[in-house]
Amino acid sequence: MCGIAGIFDTRGLRPIDRPLLERMNQAQFHRGPDEGGTFIAPGIGLAHRRLSIIDVSTGQQPLFNQDRSICIVFNGEIYNFQQVRTDLQALGYAFQTHSDTEVIVQAWAAWGEDCVRKLRGMFAFAIWDTRQEKLFIARDRLGIKPLYFATLDDGQFLFGSELKVLATHPGLARRLDPLAVEDYFALGYIPEPRTIYRNVFKLLPGYTLTLSRQSAVPEPHQYWDISLHPGATKPADVEQELIARLKDAVGSHLMAEVPLGAFLSGGVDSSAVVAMMAQLQSTPVNTCAIGFNEKAFNETEFAQQVADRYHTNHFMKVVGTDDFDLIDQLALLYDEPFADSSAIPTHRVCQLARERVTVALSGDGGDELFAGYRRYRWHMNEERLRGAFPAGLRKPLFGFLGSIYPKADWAPKFLRAKTTFQALARDSVEGYFHNFSILTDGLRGQLYSESFKRELAGYRAIEVFKRYAANAPAEDPLSLVQYLDMKTYLVGDILTKVDRASMAHALEVRVPILDHEFMEWGSSLPHDVKLKGQTGKYIFKKALEPHLPNDVLYRPKMGFAVPLAQWFRGPLKQRVKDSLLGAAMADSGLFDMGFVGQLVEEHQSGRRDHSAALWSLLMFESFQRQCLQQAA
């Protein structure tokens, strides 16, 4: 696990500014505190920060092939590198190290751009081929590892593992992208390929990008996509095969020359990973958990059940639900607005894990693959209602009911009829987007200033979902929304959150459920074995019954939440007012400050729950104050 950076002159052989490249690399020191290195040649500079995990003694980067014609900087892990190495040796390629990095170099020499298809793992890397004068960059299939890029007006192409790497370059203009702002206030994060800045992009998961001085325009190329077309399965064999495949995925992620462990939240996915680890290794698994001092947010008793069953070396830390001192740190950590409040406990659990291990396995991905989110049940219930009414009747009927029904933020989700009516008046994708949004279309319309609306020129964040839906390899409504989540929420929110939180503490996090071979198999299962009635992750839970307690498998899902509503009416009450109603927000010109004041007043009076909207505004204000204004 590391950080990479680079500068490529697309117009010639101008000298690379070594001190500047080193400053860019230093901006991501936290990603790789063990070692750093650079490579500079006419018109090209590559840099790397290393967190040593595999081949600690000889895996330094940048790394070259034997005649030094190919150079690589690499972030991630290749779990099948030994098999690929054997295949390459059979083709006559020799190796100087035992690292997975050198395997990528030789794979490029053997197979060119198709090398990524041979790799099983999480990765973002850049290869410079001196003979071809070609720069090749690639990102793993699911987007576990990040990769940012930009082309400056003078023809310099920049890339890095974090946005702050590119922002270190004085030639990068930090101009807000209004479309990204709209995406953020709809979703709580900025989905690929956009970033908060114009002309700075994230390389999409499952894509590569090749540059040469003869072809200097970045044109990403897709090499992989997940298909959710159900295949032929034998229900009697599915449970056993699921466990065998999960165990294989987890086993492939256990290689390391440093202490290794796992997060254990007490939820199904992390518990499943720990159960497989315990059955695969002879020594006790190192597990860690964060607890909260309020029972409504505390899952540690369930984590303890799993730890006791598998005799893990379990360590836990209880934190207060007033753990909001990280707010400003998060803005600097994520480099752009990021409104998932579970970033706070995620940061803390990574901090805790790093006290004992250098590598931790996580259970991320299970909800997307096996339909575990509650919103999938709500969506499918709505789909049945949509199917019962012709569109010509449904839209005006439910649109009218949604407009007159009183808003009930205080009620459980299934009793919020206003939201349900509004969703039913829309088509399937728009209804899912409406239920998913941090601020609905109506609220965003009131939030933005008139001048900012003109900048948007009619753009709405729903276009992100529509773009993916138009080409989704899915045949049914459930598979479609799973696909949308894998392309947006999983990579833009979940994986981004874990990457930044873990790298802030020089901790490598691996996600075996997102092993692409396991994902491909799981995605081929019929949707009715994933969501059966009102039970999400049905087949996953059934398969795990011999391995985990029923209390862990079938209790209500809690999530990794923090009590925002109480914070904003209690200890953060004045901070919310000072931050959101201050001059900085008003001077931005983006917001209708009267409506911002209304959101604050309605929430703090207890009449409405605007906690998610206020948190997104608070994180935007912190980003604007720390990242944007300081650069001006």
Side-chain angles (χ1 to χ4, degrees):
M1 191 69 67
C2 308
I4 65 175
I7 303 172
F8 175 53
D9 180 12
T10 66
R11 296 181 184 173
L13 300 174
R14 287 173 293 183
I16 300 299
D17 185 336
R18 181 182 292 274
L20 173 58
L21 181 62
E22 290 176 346
R23 288 197 302 275
M24 292 171 63
N25 201 29
Q26 191 67 12
Q28 59 184 358
F29 179 88
H30 53 283
R31 296 188 71 90
D34 293 336
E35 292 178 287
T38 58
F39 161 75
I40 291 179
I44 181 71
L46 305 179
H48 184 263
R49 290 298 324 177
R50 187 186 188 203
L51 177 63
S52 302
I53 304 293
I54 297 173
D55 194 20
V56 173
S57 60
T58 63
Q60 292 79 9
Q61 298 183 45
L63 186 143
F64 302 84
N65 65 341
Q66 286 181 313
D67 66 7
R68 299 184 68 86
S69 63
I70 301 172
C71 178
I72 188 173
V73 286
F74 162 53
N75 170 29
E77 303 289 355
I78 306 302
Y79 302 120
N80 67 333
F81 81 95
Q82 292 172 328
Q83 178 59 55
V84 178
R85 178 189 175 105
T86 299
D87 295 343
L88 288 163
Q89 286 173 327
L91 295 174
Y93 289 90
F95 289 82
Q96 305 169 81
T97 74
H98 299 288
S99 71
D100 54 349
T101 310
E102 189 179 10
V103 167
I104 306 175
V105 170
Q106 302 291 35
W108 165 262
W111 301 302
E113 295 180 10
D114 282 341
C115 66
V116 289
R117 302 180 188 275
K118 309 284 186 179
L119 307 178
R120 181 182 184 183
M122 56 180 185
F123 54 82
F125 63 81
I127 287 175
W128 170 247
D129 190 316
T130 302
R131 293 175 180 174
Q132 299 183 59
E133 289 200 322
K134 186 179 289 187
L135 178 68
F136 177 74
I137 67 175
R139 191 177 184 193
D140 66 65
R141 295 166 179 83
L142 277 304
I144 303 167
K145 291 294 97 191
L147 192 55
Y148 295 81
F149 69 91
T151 303
L152 305 184
D153 292 340
D154 66 357
Q156 289 187 88
F157 177 84
L158 314 178
F159 67 87
S161 293
E162 296 188 15
L163 191 51
K164 61 172 57 72
V165 174
L166 279 65
T168 302
H169 196 295
L172 186 80
R174 299 196 208 180
R175 295 183 299 129
L176 285 183
D177 181 347
L179 308 189
V181 174
E182 156 68 359
D183 289 347
Y184 168 72
F185 281 107
L187 299 172
Y189 58 91
I190 299 169
E192 271 75 347
R194 289 194 184 97
T195 72
I196 192 62
Y197 301 124
R198 301 185 195 202
N199 302 319
V200 183
F201 303 97
K202 301 157 184 163
L203 186 63
L204 287 164
Y207 274 71
T208 63
L209 189 154
T210 305
L211 282 170
S212 68
R213 295 191 176 91
Q214 291 73 43
S215 177
V217 178
E219 293 183 0
H221 169 72
Q222 187 173 24
Y223 68 90
W224 184 87
D225 197 6
I226 193 161
S227 172
L228 286 101
H229 296 300
T233 59
K234 298 178 181 179
D237 300 332
V238 168
E239 294 173 25
Q240 289 183 351
E241 185 173 0
L242 192 154
I243 294 299
R245 287 179 175 271
L246 179 61
K247 193 171 290 187
D248 173 69
V250 171
S252 71
H253 286 57
L254 296 181
M255 59 178 191
E257 297 178 13
V258 293
L260 181 145
F263 298 145
L264 182 56
S265 69
V268 174
D269 301 331
S270 67
S271 299
V273 170
V274 169
M276 298 302 104
M277 291 176 70
Q279 295 171 43
L280 287 165
Q281 60 185 62
S282 57
T283 56
V285 180
N286 297 306
T287 57
C288 65
I290 285 288
F292 295 97
N293 59 4
E294 289 188 21
K295 186 172 178 59
F297 298 92
N298 193 9
E299 297 183 280
T300 54
E301 64 178 289
F302 303 104
Q304 191 64 55
Q305 287 184 34
V306 178
D308 291 344
R309 178 166 180 165
Y310 287 104
H311 307 290
T312 72
N313 290 327
H314 190 58
F315 55 110
M316 181 194 72
K317 183 176 182 180
V318 174
V319 299
T321 50
D322 59 350
D323 186 26
F324 42 73
D325 292 337
L326 288 173
I327 290 175
D328 279 344
Q329 290 184 47
L330 292 178
L332 293 172
L333 189 62
Y334 288 87
D335 299 323
E336 59 184 359
F338 186 77
D340 186 341
S341 60
S342 67
I344 291 177
T346 301
H347 189 277
R348 293 302 187 200
V349 77
C350 289
Q351 185 178 39
L352 176 65
R354 192 62 178 90
E355 294 176 6
R356 305 289 182 90
V357 300
T358 309
V359 177
L361 272 61
S362 166
D364 292 314
D367 287 312
E368 289 81 5
L369 181 58
F370 293 110
Y373 291 125
R374 285 189 291 262
R375 61 177 176 266
Y376 294 150
R377 302 199 293 275
W378 300 329
H379 179 73
M380 294 306 290
N381 291 338
E382 290 175 359
E383 279 294 283
R384 283 187 280 274
L385 283 171
R386 284 191 188 93
F389 294 87
L393 173 63
R394 174 173 52 81
K395 291 183 178 181
L397 172 62
F398 290 113
F400 172 71
L401 291 173
S403 67
I404 65 170
Y405 203 89
K407 190 169 176 62
D409 296 319
W410 48 269
K413 178 80 173 183
F414 68 91
L415 293 178
R416 297 182 196 172
K418 184 179 185 71
T419 299
T420 300
F421 289 150
Q422 290 173 338
L424 288 171
R426 296 163 162 85
D427 67 26
S428 181
V429 173
E430 289 179 335
Y432 187 66
F433 175 82
H434 175 78
N435 289 332
F436 195 79
S437 297
I438 301 292
L439 287 94
T440 63
D441 286 353
L443 287 177
R444 296 197 311 280
Q446 296 177 77
L447 175 66
Y448 300 146
S449 67
E450 291 302 318
S451 61
F452 183 63
K453 290 178 189 176
R454 289 192 292 272
E455 280 195 78
L456 288 174
Y459 173 80
R460 293 168 56 229
I462 182 63
E463 293 181 26
V464 175
F465 278 32
K466 287 183 174 179
R467 183 177 72 246
Y468 285 119
N471 300 301
E475 297 176 350
D476 60 87
L478 177 61
S479 296
L480 174 60
V481 295
Q482 288 178 272
Y483 182 80
L484 293 177
D485 276 357
M486 289 178 192
K487 295 297 179 181
T488 57
Y489 179 69
L490 176 64
V491 60
D493 187 312
I494 300 298
L495 294 176
T496 298
K497 174 181 65 181
V498 173
D499 177 80
R500 300 307 186 278
S502 59
M503 286 285 84
H505 300 290
L507 175 75
E508 174 173 299
V509 173
R510 299 176 179 175
V511 279
I513 292 176
L514 292 181
D515 173 77
H516 81 273
E517 294 184 4
F518 184 67
M519 291 286 288
E520 288 173 343
W521 178 82
S523 69
S524 72
L525 296 176
H527 67 85
D528 58 0
V529 303
K530 298 176 185 176
L531 179 59
K532 192 175 184 68
Q534 297 301 302
T535 302
K537 286 197 284 202
Y538 173 79
I539 193 63
F540 196 52
K541 293 174 181 177
K542 287 293 291 181
L544 287 164
E545 283 180 355
H547 305 273
L548 292 173
N550 270 16
D551 285 352
V552 170
L553 290 173
Y554 294 108
R555 67 185 175 85
K557 187 176 178 65
M558 290 177 67
F560 213 24
V562 293
L564 294 179
Q566 298 95 303
W567 285 2
F568 295 157
R569 294 183 183 125
L572 291 183
K573 183 174 183 178
Q574 191 59 46
R575 174 167 181 167
V576 167
K577 288 182 176 179
D578 293 344
S579 297
L580 301 190
L581 303 180
M585 289 286 278
D587 291 346
S588 73
L590 300 176
F591 307 109
D592 180 327
M593 295 305 297
F595 184 68
V596 175
Q598 179 183 327
L599 291 176
V600 173
E601 191 280 326
E602 287 181 350
H603 182 86
Q604 295 189 341
S605 69
R607 287 188 289 131
R608 294 279 177 84
D609 181 359
H610 293 308
S611 54
L614 294 178
W615 179 258
S616 65
L617 283 163
L618 199 63
M619 296 308 297
F620 188 89
E621 186 276 337
S622 185
F623 157 78
Q624 182 179 252
R625 172 169 38 84
Q626 295 192 98
C627 301
L628 201 58
Q629 292 180 352
Q630 288 184 11

